[in-house]
Amino acid sequence: MRPHRASRWLYPRPEGLYCEPGGFFIDPVRPVDKSVITHGHADHARRGHGAVLATPETIAIMKIRYGEACAGAFQEAAYGEATAVGGVRIGLAPAGHILGSAQVVLDYDGSRVVISGDYKRSADPTCSPFEVVPCDVFVSEATFALPVFRHEPAGREASRLVESIRQQPARTHLLGVYGLGKCQRMIALIRAAGYDAPIHLHGALVALTEFYASQGFEFGALQPIATDARTNRRDFAGSLVMCPPAAIADRWSRRFEDPVTAFASGWMRVRGRALQRGVELPLIVSDHADWPELIATIEQTGAEEVWVTHGREDALVHQLSLMGIPARALTLVGFDDEGD
Amino acid sequence: MQPFAKLLDQLACTQSRNRKIALLADYFTATPDPDRGWALAALSDGLPYSLPLRRILPELMAGTVDPELYRLSRDYVGDTAETVSLLWRDRRKGAASATGDNRSPPSISDVVMTFGTAPRDCVPRLLAETLDRLDISGRFALLKLLAGAPRVGVSARLAKTALAIAFEHEVGEIEEVWHAVDPPYRELFGWLTGKSAKPDPGSRPVFRPLMLAHPIEDEDWARLDPGELNAEWKWDGIRVQIAAIGGHMRLFSRTGDDISKSFPEIASAFTRRHCVVDGELLVVRNGDVAPFNDLQQRLNRKTVSARMLRDYPAHVRLYDLLFDAGEDLRGLPFEERRKRLAAWHENAAPPLTDLSATVRFSSFEELSAIWQGTRADGIEGLMLKRKSSPYLAGRPKGHWWKWKRAPLTLDCVLMYAQRGSGKRSSFYSDYTFGVWRDDGPATLSLEANYGSETDAHAAPGELVPVGKAYSGFTDEELRKLDRFVRTNTLQRFGPVRAVAPTLVLEVAFDAVQFSTRHKSGVAMRFPRIARIRWDKPAVEADTLTTIKALIRAPATL
Ligand SMILES: [Zn+2]
Ligand SMILES: [Zn+2]
């Protein structure tokens, strides 16, 4: 199979996916002169680049996580705004993954390539929905690229959590979530499910949640738990505490009375993964596209060729070959294919 | 099928035993017959049949999913039933890809009946139709049910305990009728819910709950009179009950599991008798009781080779007689039952059995001297039974006591610590410890290196693991140990940390045996942490030679 001609100007290098005429990398894994960043997750947005082009939200998130001076220069580009660098037209389109997440749309030499970054198609009250951008080559993530992955409707999963809190008022519900995106989406879903008591937040979740709130999202009453606070175990009985996943099995969690451990992630679809983490209440909620979403999206872009990255490339490449769509795995290192 | 599926989902995610019991109890109370009975069968002894799904499922899937995608999915998920439950196209009405199957989900009894009577060649088609009517959890439950072993962390004993709690009966009563009833246990539930009489075993051999002993405590002696007690040796095998009636016999474990198949020679020794006896199952060669390790070779085997029978000959040392023919002796005093046992044994003379000897003594001083000698004699300790005690189910207070020989102790060095589970998941609570190897040239290992850095003296050599313990310490000590592990970590392997070999643990244990599991070639039985020796330098811990010297020859009494 002859690769698409776009691969002459856009190809992987050790630092990441490189656009030669523009001289920039997309989500590079080590410091480079010029970068385009799809979204604020740590495996995509790293510190130390000379210049960063991203959505205003992504730039704000990077500054919160890494400090104001985490890149030499920042250039904001809102969804739909175009910039040109070295003859390459760069546009950003909503990816529906987290607040500020973008697909990178590159036009050059008569071809259009869309790099999806991380994306999902199901509704999320905390970010703009994914926008289908017709293109010649679609570079798709593949975190959940196996036919066994079909996420549940997120609202229903949040209701299950709220129901469990009501049924077990003597216990603390400890919900593990990633700090950026999943945390805020879950808060919004839990509120929509009718839970209006204060939600307690582990210190590591506070700054980014405050940022979301400053962007106009309503989260109701949130109470940060100071990391060093000496609290009475019973203070949290019957309440909901959210924390980073690692804190669930950490010394930090000992302050809670007989906690119900819950974890919101697409991996919870597979029993072994829930058991491995010792999760009592697995919630199948993901910010990544599931199998049907991946396939539908690829079809909708009308791409002649698909490059698959970051996840279970083999299954998606195989599926696309069955559908008659040329596809190949793009070997990019440094991405977290355990994203949830 | 939906309530059962939900139960399996919840059980899979629950670690606490009490919470599992509560889930099961709720299910058994809320579910009607015969569904709950089939569920109980699935969770305990299994359905009357199981289907070869391992063969059927891949064939069934081949028609709906690309084989390569099926293989990749199966590899990822790691379980065929779960993979199929996830991959099966949802055809229920309202589901995303509905083609209009709007029949309601089948009940467990529908499923059990349908597949129990279906001709073999119809099974794949029936299975596809049934899968079509279920959601992911339901499909998983269906496949686990039909495959015969749901394996959801529930033992038969736990299921019976839950029944007892749900219907406010003693678990012993349930165990007693268990072998008199069959799935879907209508008579059992009828009796439990007070609608019908207690199931009558009729002419079947059934389990009678065992009478168990308490460990003797210092304060017990004051209340005891030597003249009221009968003493016997405590044997290191497994406690069993043999029930025989009308040409049938069953060998039961302590919890009422039927283990007759693993011990055909005992089965034939009892087949044409009419009794219920209590005893200790042992491996005995030429009158010598072999170590427990030998008996272990015979446990949990479906088929027993002639070689097994010859190399590990089973034997039952009899303690008690519960039924003589149809006569229930359990209300008689122990002394009386003991006489009846001796008379019955003399008369019936079943091969591969003998009577547990009575240890004569006239004072507790004398008994204590005998007890002191048990270790040297290779005996596990003494059993004390009140001569007047009836045979009571469970562990009644004030009747039987076990007086285990004093434990051995050794000073070992903490090597690895592993995170606990459940309530202890934030603690490093499982400890692997070792002793110094002194039986060869000292190799310079990582541990030895660290040892020599942290100790003033040079390390004596290499540490080799000899056991693992997760009990014997207080909550306060657990917190201190956890802190020690976190601040002395050398390396992390997932949930396990290798620690600097500087902390000495005084480990108490019952015995040492040869083992291939540890690099040291030995393993401790029943180890627990007796004391944490914060004060003792690691170099002064014990050596492999010391521990090997504790491996004993078989008992000859
Ligand atoms: Zn991401
Ligand atoms: Zn990612």
Side-chain angles (χ1 to χ4, degrees), chain A residues 146-149 171 249-251 254 258 267 269-271 273 275 278-280 282 312 314-315 318-319 322, chain B residues 9 12-13 15 19 66 68-69 72-73 76-77 82-83 86-87 136-137 140 419 423 425-427 482 486:
Chain A
L146 272 180
V148 293
F149 289 111
R171 305 178 70 195
D250 187 32
R251 277 177 284 184
R254 289 181 201 163
D258 189 18
W267 300 115
R269 174 49 85 204
V270 175
R271 278 157 207 269
R273 298 292 294 249
L275 283 179
V279 176
E280 187 173 340
R312 269 134 274 274
D314 41 3
H318 179 77
Q319 169 68 22
L322 295 177
Chain B
D9 279 354
C13 296
Q15 284 172 0
R19 216 161 276 137
D66 174 77
E68 177 67 2
L69 291 176
L72 288 167
S73 299
Y76 180 81
V77 174
E82 184 175 2
T83 309
L86 292 170
L87 289 179
I136 294 177
S137 294
F140 178 78
R419 270 182 195 279
K423 271 188 167 32
S425 61
S426 73
F427 290 95
D482 179 70
R486 290 171 191 272

Short mmCIF file of all heavy atoms in Angstrom, two decimals, chain A residues 146-149 171 249-251 254 258 267 269-271 273 275 278-280 282 312 314-315 318-319 322, chain B residues 9 12-13 15 19 66 68-69 72-73 76-77 82-83 86-87 136-137 140 419 423 425-427 482 486:
data_model
loop_
_atom_site.label_atom_id
_atom_site.label_comp_id
_atom_site.label_asym_id
_atom_site.label_seq_id
_atom_site.Cartn_x
_atom_site.Cartn_y
_atom_site.Cartn_z
N LEU A 146 -11.44 -1.65 20.84
CA LEU A 146 -11.76 -3.07 20.79
C LEU A 146 -13.28 -3.15 20.82
O LEU A 146 -13.92 -2.36 21.53
CB LEU A 146 -11.22 -3.79 22.03
CG LEU A 146 -9.80 -4.33 22.00
CD1 LEU A 146 -9.48 -5.01 23.32
CD2 LEU A 146 -9.62 -5.33 20.86
N PRO A 147 -13.86 -4.11 20.08
CA PRO A 147 -15.32 -4.15 20.02
C PRO A 147 -16.00 -4.40 21.37
O PRO A 147 -17.20 -4.23 21.49
CB PRO A 147 -15.63 -5.27 19.02
CG PRO A 147 -14.35 -5.95 18.75
CD PRO A 147 -13.23 -5.07 19.18
N VAL A 148 -15.24 -4.82 22.39
CA VAL A 148 -15.88 -5.02 23.70
C VAL A 148 -16.18 -3.70 24.40
O VAL A 148 -16.95 -3.67 25.37
CB VAL A 148 -14.99 -5.87 24.65
CG1 VAL A 148 -14.87 -7.28 24.15
CG2 VAL A 148 -13.62 -5.25 24.85
N PHE A 149 -15.57 -2.62 23.93
CA PHE A 149 -15.77 -1.35 24.62
C PHE A 149 -16.97 -0.60 24.06
O PHE A 149 -16.93 -0.10 22.93
CB PHE A 149 -14.51 -0.48 24.56
CG PHE A 149 -13.41 -1.02 25.43
CD1 PHE A 149 -12.26 -1.55 24.88
CD2 PHE A 149 -13.55 -1.03 26.81
CE1 PHE A 149 -11.26 -2.07 25.67
CE2 PHE A 149 -12.55 -1.55 27.62
CZ PHE A 149 -11.40 -2.07 27.05
N ARG A 171 -22.04 5.05 54.98
CA ARG A 171 -20.71 4.90 54.38
C ARG A 171 -20.34 6.14 53.56
O ARG A 171 -21.21 6.86 53.09
CB ARG A 171 -20.68 3.65 53.49
CG ARG A 171 -21.10 2.39 54.22
CD ARG A 171 -21.12 1.18 53.30
NE ARG A 171 -19.78 0.77 52.91
CZ ARG A 171 -19.52 -0.07 51.91
NH1 ARG A 171 -20.51 -0.57 51.19
NH2 ARG A 171 -18.28 -0.41 51.61
N ALA A 249 -6.38 4.02 47.21
CA ALA A 249 -5.66 2.99 47.97
C ALA A 249 -4.49 3.61 48.74
O ALA A 249 -3.58 2.91 49.14
CB ALA A 249 -5.17 1.90 47.03
N ASP A 250 -4.52 4.90 48.93
CA ASP A 250 -3.43 5.58 49.59
C ASP A 250 -3.78 5.83 51.05
O ASP A 250 -4.93 5.73 51.45
CB ASP A 250 -3.18 6.90 48.85
CG ASP A 250 -1.94 7.58 49.37
OD1 ASP A 250 -1.01 6.88 49.78
OD2 ASP A 250 -1.90 8.83 49.36
N ARG A 251 -2.76 6.21 51.84
CA ARG A 251 -2.99 6.52 53.25
C ARG A 251 -4.07 7.58 53.42
O ARG A 251 -4.78 7.60 54.39
CB ARG A 251 -1.69 7.01 53.89
CG ARG A 251 -0.80 5.87 54.30
CD ARG A 251 0.49 6.38 54.85
NE ARG A 251 1.37 6.83 53.78
CZ ARG A 251 2.61 7.25 53.96
NH1 ARG A 251 3.10 7.30 55.17
NH2 ARG A 251 3.35 7.63 52.95
N ARG A 254 -7.63 6.65 54.48
CA ARG A 254 -7.92 6.05 55.80
C ARG A 254 -8.80 6.94 56.66
O ARG A 254 -9.31 6.50 57.68
CB ARG A 254 -6.62 5.79 56.56
CG ARG A 254 -5.82 4.68 55.97
CD ARG A 254 -4.57 4.47 56.78
NE ARG A 254 -3.57 3.77 55.98
CZ ARG A 254 -2.29 3.73 56.29
NH1 ARG A 254 -1.84 4.35 57.35
NH2 ARG A 254 -1.46 3.08 55.51
N ASP A 258 -15.32 3.25 56.40
CA ASP A 258 -15.84 2.16 55.59
C ASP A 258 -16.25 2.62 54.18
O ASP A 258 -17.41 2.49 53.79
CB ASP A 258 -17.05 1.56 56.32
CG ASP A 258 -17.54 0.29 55.68
OD1 ASP A 258 -16.78 -0.31 54.91
OD2 ASP A 258 -18.69 -0.09 55.94
N TRP A 267 -12.51 1.80 31.36
CA TRP A 267 -11.92 0.48 31.63
C TRP A 267 -12.82 -0.36 32.52
O TRP A 267 -12.67 -1.57 32.59
CB TRP A 267 -10.56 0.63 32.30
CG TRP A 267 -9.59 1.38 31.46
CD1 TRP A 267 -9.04 2.59 31.73
CD2 TRP A 267 -9.09 0.98 30.18
NE1 TRP A 267 -8.23 2.98 30.71
CE2 TRP A 267 -8.23 2.01 29.74
CE3 TRP A 267 -9.27 -0.13 29.36
CZ2 TRP A 267 -7.57 1.95 28.52
CZ3 TRP A 267 -8.61 -0.18 28.15
CH2 TRP A 267 -7.77 0.84 27.74
N ARG A 269 -15.57 -1.30 32.11
CA ARG A 269 -16.37 -2.22 31.30
C ARG A 269 -15.89 -3.66 31.50
O ARG A 269 -16.67 -4.61 31.44
CB ARG A 269 -16.25 -1.80 29.82
CG ARG A 269 -16.89 -2.72 28.84
CD ARG A 269 -18.30 -3.08 29.19
NE ARG A 269 -19.31 -2.13 28.75
CZ ARG A 269 -20.50 -2.01 29.32
NH1 ARG A 269 -20.82 -2.76 30.36
NH2 ARG A 269 -21.38 -1.15 28.87
N VAL A 270 -14.62 -3.83 31.75
CA VAL A 270 -14.06 -5.17 31.89
C VAL A 270 -13.89 -5.49 33.37
O VAL A 270 -13.24 -4.77 34.11
CB VAL A 270 -12.71 -5.26 31.15
CG1 VAL A 270 -12.04 -6.61 31.39
CG2 VAL A 270 -12.93 -5.04 29.65
N ARG A 271 -14.51 -6.61 33.79
CA ARG A 271 -14.53 -6.96 35.21
C ARG A 271 -13.14 -7.03 35.83
O ARG A 271 -12.92 -6.57 36.95
CB ARG A 271 -15.19 -8.33 35.39
CG ARG A 271 -16.68 -8.25 35.39
CD ARG A 271 -17.29 -9.60 35.01
NE ARG A 271 -18.57 -9.34 34.42
CZ ARG A 271 -19.70 -9.30 35.12
NH1 ARG A 271 -19.68 -9.57 36.41
NH2 ARG A 271 -20.83 -9.02 34.54
N ARG A 273 -10.54 -5.44 35.22
CA ARG A 273 -9.94 -4.14 35.52
C ARG A 273 -10.53 -3.56 36.79
O ARG A 273 -9.83 -2.91 37.57
CB ARG A 273 -10.17 -3.17 34.35
CG ARG A 273 -9.52 -3.62 33.06
CD ARG A 273 -8.02 -3.58 33.12
NE ARG A 273 -7.49 -2.24 33.24
CZ ARG A 273 -6.80 -1.60 32.30
NH1 ARG A 273 -6.54 -2.21 31.16
NH2 ARG A 273 -6.34 -0.40 32.50
N LEU A 275 -11.76 -5.36 39.28
CA LEU A 275 -11.26 -6.17 40.38
C LEU A 275 -9.84 -5.78 40.74
O LEU A 275 -9.49 -5.67 41.91
CB LEU A 275 -11.27 -7.66 39.98
CG LEU A 275 -12.62 -8.34 40.02
CD1 LEU A 275 -12.49 -9.78 39.59
CD2 LEU A 275 -13.20 -8.28 41.43
N GLY A 278 -9.81 -3.07 42.89
CA GLY A 278 -10.60 -3.24 44.11
C GLY A 278 -11.78 -2.30 44.18
O GLY A 278 -12.17 -1.85 45.25
N VAL A 279 -12.38 -2.00 43.01
CA VAL A 279 -13.47 -1.04 42.97
C VAL A 279 -14.78 -1.72 43.32
O VAL A 279 -15.12 -2.76 42.78
CB VAL A 279 -13.57 -0.42 41.56
CG1 VAL A 279 -14.77 0.50 41.46
CG2 VAL A 279 -12.30 0.32 41.22
N GLU A 280 -15.52 -1.15 44.24
CA GLU A 280 -16.81 -1.74 44.63
C GLU A 280 -17.92 -1.27 43.71
O GLU A 280 -18.87 -2.00 43.43
CB GLU A 280 -17.12 -1.36 46.09
CG GLU A 280 -18.33 -2.07 46.64
CD GLU A 280 -18.54 -1.83 48.13
OE1 GLU A 280 -17.58 -1.44 48.82
OE2 GLU A 280 -19.68 -2.03 48.58
N PRO A 282 -18.06 0.16 40.07
CA PRO A 282 -17.44 0.61 38.82
C PRO A 282 -18.44 1.40 37.98
O PRO A 282 -19.56 0.95 37.78
CB PRO A 282 -17.04 -0.70 38.12
CG PRO A 282 -17.75 -1.79 38.83
CD PRO A 282 -18.44 -1.26 40.05
N ARG A 312 -5.09 0.64 21.13
CA ARG A 312 -5.11 -0.68 20.53
C ARG A 312 -5.23 -0.54 19.01
O ARG A 312 -6.27 -0.77 18.42
CB ARG A 312 -6.29 -1.47 21.09
CG ARG A 312 -5.93 -2.29 22.31
CD ARG A 312 -6.89 -2.17 23.42
NE ARG A 312 -6.57 -1.01 24.22
CZ ARG A 312 -5.69 -1.01 25.21
NH1 ARG A 312 -5.09 -2.11 25.57
NH2 ARG A 312 -5.40 0.10 25.87
N ASP A 314 -3.99 -2.25 16.53
CA ASP A 314 -4.16 -3.43 15.69
C ASP A 314 -5.62 -3.75 15.38
O ASP A 314 -5.97 -4.06 14.24
CB ASP A 314 -3.45 -4.66 16.29
CG ASP A 314 -3.60 -4.76 17.80
OD1 ASP A 314 -4.31 -3.90 18.37
OD2 ASP A 314 -3.05 -5.68 18.39
N ALA A 315 -6.48 -3.64 16.41
CA ALA A 315 -7.89 -3.99 16.18
C ALA A 315 -8.56 -2.98 15.25
O ALA A 315 -9.31 -3.36 14.35
CB ALA A 315 -8.65 -4.04 17.51
N HIS A 318 -7.35 -3.39 11.68
CA HIS A 318 -7.97 -4.57 11.09
C HIS A 318 -9.41 -4.28 10.68
O HIS A 318 -9.84 -4.63 9.58
CB HIS A 318 -7.91 -5.73 12.08
CG HIS A 318 -8.54 -6.98 11.59
ND1 HIS A 318 -7.92 -7.81 10.67
CD2 HIS A 318 -9.76 -7.53 11.83
CE1 HIS A 318 -8.73 -8.82 10.39
NE2 HIS A 318 -9.85 -8.67 11.08
N GLN A 319 -10.16 -3.65 11.57
CA GLN A 319 -11.56 -3.34 11.29
C GLN A 319 -11.68 -2.46 10.04
O GLN A 319 -12.53 -2.69 9.17
CB GLN A 319 -12.20 -2.64 12.50
CG GLN A 319 -13.57 -2.02 12.26
CD GLN A 319 -14.65 -3.05 12.01
OE1 GLN A 319 -14.52 -4.21 12.41
NE2 GLN A 319 -15.72 -2.65 11.33
N LEU A 322 -11.27 -4.31 6.91
CA LEU A 322 -12.49 -5.02 6.56
C LEU A 322 -13.48 -4.09 5.85
O LEU A 322 -14.27 -4.51 5.01
CB LEU A 322 -13.17 -5.60 7.81
CG LEU A 322 -12.43 -6.68 8.58
CD1 LEU A 322 -13.23 -7.09 9.83
CD2 LEU A 322 -12.18 -7.91 7.71
N ASP B 9 -22.91 -9.41 39.60
CA ASP B 9 -22.17 -8.16 39.42
C ASP B 9 -21.73 -7.61 40.76
O ASP B 9 -20.58 -7.22 40.95
CB ASP B 9 -23.05 -7.10 38.73
CG ASP B 9 -23.10 -7.31 37.22
OD1 ASP B 9 -22.37 -8.19 36.73
OD2 ASP B 9 -23.88 -6.61 36.56
N ALA B 12 -19.12 -9.76 42.64
CA ALA B 12 -17.79 -9.67 42.03
C ALA B 12 -17.03 -8.46 42.56
O ALA B 12 -15.81 -8.47 42.66
CB ALA B 12 -17.90 -9.61 40.51
N CYS B 13 -17.75 -7.40 42.89
CA CYS B 13 -17.09 -6.16 43.32
C CYS B 13 -17.03 -6.01 44.83
O CYS B 13 -16.59 -4.98 45.33
CB CYS B 13 -17.82 -4.95 42.74
SG CYS B 13 -17.74 -4.88 40.97
N GLN B 15 -15.70 -7.15 48.52
CA GLN B 15 -14.65 -7.93 49.18
C GLN B 15 -15.06 -8.37 50.57
O GLN B 15 -14.66 -9.43 51.03
CB GLN B 15 -13.36 -7.11 49.25
CG GLN B 15 -12.68 -7.06 47.90
CD GLN B 15 -11.52 -6.11 47.88
OE1 GLN B 15 -11.20 -5.47 48.87
NE2 GLN B 15 -10.86 -6.02 46.75
N ARG B 19 -20.68 -8.24 53.79
CA ARG B 19 -21.48 -7.58 52.75
C ARG B 19 -21.92 -8.60 51.70
O ARG B 19 -23.02 -8.53 51.16
CB ARG B 19 -20.66 -6.45 52.13
CG ARG B 19 -21.51 -5.26 51.79
CD ARG B 19 -20.66 -4.03 51.63
NE ARG B 19 -20.40 -3.39 52.90
CZ ARG B 19 -19.21 -2.90 53.26
NH1 ARG B 19 -18.18 -3.00 52.45
NH2 ARG B 19 -19.06 -2.32 54.42
N ASP B 66 -15.95 -10.85 13.45
CA ASP B 66 -14.75 -11.21 12.72
C ASP B 66 -13.80 -11.99 13.65
O ASP B 66 -13.58 -11.58 14.78
CB ASP B 66 -14.08 -9.92 12.24
CG ASP B 66 -12.74 -10.20 11.60
OD1 ASP B 66 -12.73 -10.66 10.45
OD2 ASP B 66 -11.70 -9.98 12.27
N GLU B 68 -10.62 -12.37 13.90
CA GLU B 68 -9.45 -11.65 14.41
C GLU B 68 -9.87 -10.70 15.55
O GLU B 68 -9.21 -10.61 16.58
CB GLU B 68 -8.78 -10.88 13.27
CG GLU B 68 -7.59 -10.04 13.68
CD GLU B 68 -6.38 -10.87 14.15
OE1 GLU B 68 -6.45 -12.12 14.11
OE2 GLU B 68 -5.38 -10.26 14.58
N LEU B 69 -10.99 -10.01 15.34
CA LEU B 69 -11.47 -9.10 16.39
C LEU B 69 -11.90 -9.89 17.63
O LEU B 69 -11.70 -9.46 18.76
CB LEU B 69 -12.63 -8.25 15.89
CG LEU B 69 -12.27 -7.21 14.83
CD1 LEU B 69 -13.52 -6.50 14.33
CD2 LEU B 69 -11.25 -6.21 15.36
N LEU B 72 -8.61 -10.84 19.43
CA LEU B 72 -8.02 -9.70 20.14
C LEU B 72 -8.83 -9.35 21.40
O LEU B 72 -8.27 -9.05 22.45
CB LEU B 72 -7.95 -8.47 19.22
CG LEU B 72 -6.91 -8.54 18.10
CD1 LEU B 72 -7.14 -7.42 17.07
CD2 LEU B 72 -5.49 -8.45 18.67
N SER B 73 -10.16 -9.42 21.26
CA SER B 73 -11.02 -9.11 22.40
C SER B 73 -10.86 -10.14 23.51
O SER B 73 -10.72 -9.81 24.69
CB SER B 73 -12.49 -9.06 21.97
OG SER B 73 -12.67 -8.06 20.99
N TYR B 76 -7.74 -9.73 25.37
CA TYR B 76 -7.74 -8.57 26.26
C TYR B 76 -8.58 -8.85 27.51
O TYR B 76 -8.15 -8.59 28.63
CB TYR B 76 -8.26 -7.32 25.56
CG TYR B 76 -8.25 -6.14 26.49
CD1 TYR B 76 -7.06 -5.45 26.72
CD2 TYR B 76 -9.38 -5.78 27.21
CE1 TYR B 76 -7.00 -4.42 27.63
CE2 TYR B 76 -9.33 -4.74 28.13
CZ TYR B 76 -8.15 -4.06 28.33
OH TYR B 76 -8.09 -3.05 29.24
N VAL B 77 -9.77 -9.39 27.31
CA VAL B 77 -10.70 -9.58 28.43
C VAL B 77 -10.27 -10.75 29.33
O VAL B 77 -10.39 -10.69 30.54
CB VAL B 77 -12.14 -9.80 27.92
CG1 VAL B 77 -13.09 -10.16 29.06
CG2 VAL B 77 -12.62 -8.56 27.19
N GLU B 82 -17.24 -13.66 29.44
CA GLU B 82 -17.33 -12.19 29.52
C GLU B 82 -17.15 -11.57 28.13
O GLU B 82 -17.87 -10.64 27.76
CB GLU B 82 -16.29 -11.63 30.49
CG GLU B 82 -16.46 -10.13 30.64
CD GLU B 82 -15.55 -9.51 31.69
OE1 GLU B 82 -14.74 -10.24 32.30
OE2 GLU B 82 -15.64 -8.28 31.87
N THR B 83 -16.22 -12.10 27.34
CA THR B 83 -16.00 -11.57 26.00
C THR B 83 -17.27 -11.67 25.17
O THR B 83 -17.69 -10.71 24.52
CB THR B 83 -14.86 -12.34 25.30
OG1 THR B 83 -13.73 -12.37 26.17
CG2 THR B 83 -14.48 -11.69 23.99
N LEU B 86 -19.96 -9.24 26.13
CA LEU B 86 -19.68 -7.88 25.68
C LEU B 86 -19.83 -7.73 24.16
O LEU B 86 -20.22 -6.67 23.67
CB LEU B 86 -18.27 -7.46 26.10
CG LEU B 86 -18.04 -7.27 27.61
CD1 LEU B 86 -16.56 -7.10 27.92
CD2 LEU B 86 -18.84 -6.09 28.14
N LEU B 87 -19.49 -8.78 23.43
CA LEU B 87 -19.49 -8.68 21.97
C LEU B 87 -20.85 -8.96 21.33
O LEU B 87 -21.10 -8.57 20.20
CB LEU B 87 -18.47 -9.65 21.36
CG LEU B 87 -17.00 -9.31 21.55
CD1 LEU B 87 -16.14 -10.38 20.91
CD2 LEU B 87 -16.68 -7.95 20.94
N ILE B 136 -25.92 -7.03 28.86
CA ILE B 136 -24.55 -7.52 29.07
C ILE B 136 -24.44 -8.36 30.35
O ILE B 136 -23.93 -9.48 30.33
CB ILE B 136 -23.55 -6.34 29.12
CG1 ILE B 136 -23.47 -5.66 27.74
CG2 ILE B 136 -22.16 -6.83 29.53
CD1 ILE B 136 -22.57 -4.44 27.70
N SER B 137 -24.93 -7.82 31.46
CA SER B 137 -24.84 -8.56 32.73
C SER B 137 -25.62 -9.87 32.66
O SER B 137 -25.17 -10.90 33.17
CB SER B 137 -25.41 -7.73 33.88
OG SER B 137 -24.62 -6.61 34.10
N PHE B 140 -23.72 -12.43 30.64
CA PHE B 140 -22.61 -12.95 31.43
C PHE B 140 -23.12 -14.00 32.43
O PHE B 140 -22.58 -15.09 32.54
CB PHE B 140 -21.92 -11.79 32.16
CG PHE B 140 -20.79 -12.21 33.05
CD1 PHE B 140 -19.55 -12.53 32.51
CD2 PHE B 140 -20.95 -12.28 34.42
CE1 PHE B 140 -18.49 -12.91 33.33
CE2 PHE B 140 -19.91 -12.67 35.26
CZ PHE B 140 -18.67 -12.97 34.70
N ARG B 419 0.72 -4.85 49.93
CA ARG B 419 -0.52 -4.19 50.35
C ARG B 419 -1.57 -5.21 50.71
O ARG B 419 -1.68 -6.24 50.06
CB ARG B 419 -1.09 -3.39 49.16
CG ARG B 419 -0.60 -1.98 49.08
CD ARG B 419 -1.28 -1.32 47.90
NE ARG B 419 -0.62 -0.09 47.53
CZ ARG B 419 -0.80 1.07 48.15
NH1 ARG B 419 -1.63 1.14 49.17
NH2 ARG B 419 -0.17 2.14 47.76
N LYS B 423 -10.28 -3.57 54.00
CA LYS B 423 -10.00 -2.51 54.97
C LYS B 423 -8.52 -2.19 55.09
O LYS B 423 -8.14 -1.13 55.56
CB LYS B 423 -10.51 -2.96 56.35
CG LYS B 423 -11.95 -2.59 56.63
CD LYS B 423 -12.24 -2.91 58.09
CE LYS B 423 -13.52 -2.33 58.61
NZ LYS B 423 -14.64 -2.16 57.78
N SER B 425 -6.37 -2.07 52.55
CA SER B 425 -5.76 -1.82 51.25
C SER B 425 -4.82 -0.63 51.24
O SER B 425 -4.02 -0.49 50.33
CB SER B 425 -6.85 -1.67 50.18
OG SER B 425 -7.66 -0.57 50.51
N SER B 426 -4.88 0.23 52.23
CA SER B 426 -3.93 1.33 52.24
C SER B 426 -2.71 1.01 53.10
O SER B 426 -1.83 1.84 53.28
CB SER B 426 -4.61 2.62 52.70
OG SER B 426 -4.84 2.57 54.09
N PHE B 427 -2.64 -0.21 53.64
CA PHE B 427 -1.52 -0.61 54.49
C PHE B 427 -0.68 -1.69 53.82
O PHE B 427 -1.21 -2.56 53.14
CB PHE B 427 -2.03 -1.19 55.81
CG PHE B 427 -2.66 -0.19 56.73
CD1 PHE B 427 -4.03 0.00 56.73
CD2 PHE B 427 -1.88 0.57 57.59
CE1 PHE B 427 -4.62 0.92 57.59
CE2 PHE B 427 -2.46 1.49 58.44
CZ PHE B 427 -3.83 1.67 58.44
N ASP B 482 3.78 -0.36 58.74
CA ASP B 482 3.49 0.30 57.47
C ASP B 482 4.46 1.48 57.27
O ASP B 482 5.02 1.67 56.20
CB ASP B 482 2.04 0.78 57.50
CG ASP B 482 1.62 1.51 56.24
OD1 ASP B 482 1.50 0.84 55.20
OD2 ASP B 482 1.44 2.74 56.28
N ARG B 486 7.32 1.93 54.28
CA ARG B 486 7.36 3.08 53.37
C ARG B 486 8.68 3.84 53.44
O ARG B 486 9.13 4.38 52.45
CB ARG B 486 6.19 4.02 53.67
CG ARG B 486 4.84 3.43 53.26
CD ARG B 486 3.69 4.28 53.78
NE ARG B 486 2.42 3.61 53.63
CZ ARG B 486 1.65 3.68 52.54
NH1 ARG B 486 2.03 4.40 51.51
NH2 ARG B 486 0.50 3.03 52.48
#
